[in-house]
Structures are given as structure tokens and as C-alpha cells.
Amino acid sequence: MDTKQSIIIDCDAQPFTPKGWKVEEHRKGGQFVFIPANIKLYFPRIQRGENYIEGNKLRGELVNAPVLNANVLDHLLTHPESFPEDWKKDEKGDILYIFFWGTTYLNSYGAPCIRFLYWSNGSLGWDCQWLINGWDGKYPAAIRTN
């Protein structure tokens, strides 16, 4: 993406909240210039490879990381052509699930969860993962590089 065509995402804005959900935490991030080079897919060492880490522990690992919030996720959902090709699958050809840890929701059951994006069957989708579940090497966090 050319920087002349770059998009500014207001990461301070209230994020989209699915019906029946609540925002538990929303880390504001100012005006974010959406260029793939400004984003890194991050795995804490404990999460790499075949290792799993429980979501609540991973949340603690990421507390000081420059994680992106759900405003970036929602931008990508409305502009799937901006979803980077190298985010679709890992080196083994497995689907990657990109998590946006800057926004924690309480879903309709009251369970804390993190929304994520994934590319499957030629389209972009989203879902959420409960913090009591495990994260592995296919579940990177989207973080700022700038």
C-alpha cells in the first residue's frame, strides 16, 4: 500500500461492540496510519511453535506491548483488500488467527474474550476467543511497530 493512499484509523474511538456484549477494556491508540509495515505479528516466546499459553496469562505477557485494538480489526473487516497476504497463512499453510488485544470484550455470556480476524475460503472473517482458552503458534497478536 502506497503511503499516499494510507488510511488513518482513529484508535481512540469507541470500538464496535457486538449486540449483547460489553467492552471491558479498550486501550486507546491515537491516530494509527494503516500500512502493513506499521504492524507486526507477535508471539511471546512461550507461545511459539506447538506451545500453548492460557489467554489470561498471555494477556499479562502483553500488558506493556503496543497491541492494536479492535478499531483496526473493524477497519480490515470493511476493507478486506487491505488484509496483508502474509497474514492469511503461516509457513506451513495453516490459517493464522490475528488477535487485537487492545480491546477486551465481555461476550453475551459475560466471558472475557478477544476478537480476531482470519482469512478462509477467499474471505475475511472474525470471531472471538475466551481468555480461559489456550493460544498457540497460529494465534499472533497484532502490534504496532512505530
Side-chain angles (χ1 to χ4, degrees):
M1 182 179 291
D2 186 335
T3 55
K4 293 178 197 163
Q5 299 174 344
S6 62
I7 303 295
I8 307 295
I9 301 170
D10 183 1
C11 290
D12 287 346
Q14 183 67 23
F16 166 74
T17 305
K19 186 176 181 173
W21 291 24
K22 295 179 182 174
V23 173
E24 180 185 60
E25 176 188 14
H26 182 66
R27 292 195 217 174
K28 295 183 177 185
Q31 303 300 303
F32 178 70
V33 178
F34 181 83
I35 300 171
N38 288 345
I39 303 171
K40 176 182 173 185
L41 300 183
Y42 175 73
F43 299 93
R45 186 169 9 128
I46 190 147
Q47 185 186 358
R48 295 181 189 151
E50 300 298 317
N51 295 326
Y52 282 83
I53 182 173
E54 193 238 8
N56 286 303
K57 290 181 184 174
L58 182 53
R59 185 181 191 182
E61 292 279 328
L62 295 169
V63 73
N64 293 317
V67 292
L68 291 170
N69 65 37
N71 295 25
V72 177
L73 176 151
D74 291 322
H75 166 77
L76 288 167
L77 278 174
T78 57
H79 301 282
E81 71 280 359
S82 299
F83 194 75
E85 192 66 34
D86 61 342
W87 288 15
K88 294 177 181 179
K89 295 187 177 190
D90 67 11
E91 62 279 349
K92 296 177 186 174
D94 294 326
I95 294 172
L96 288 171
Y97 302 91
I98 315 301
F99 285 81
F100 293 80
W101 283 88
T103 308
T104 305
Y105 292 93
L106 297 174
N107 67 14
S108 58
Y109 301 107
C113 61
I114 306 296
R115 290 175 63 209
F116 64 89
L117 291 174
Y118 62 94
W119 189 271
S120 180
N121 298 319
S123 65
L124 191 58
W126 75 271
D127 206 338
C128 72
Q129 174 89 329
W130 293 359
L131 292 179
I132 60 170
N133 291 343
W135 266 253
D136 67 11
K138 294 180 189 82
Y139 295 177
I143 64 170
R144 301 173 90 117
T145 60
N146 62 347

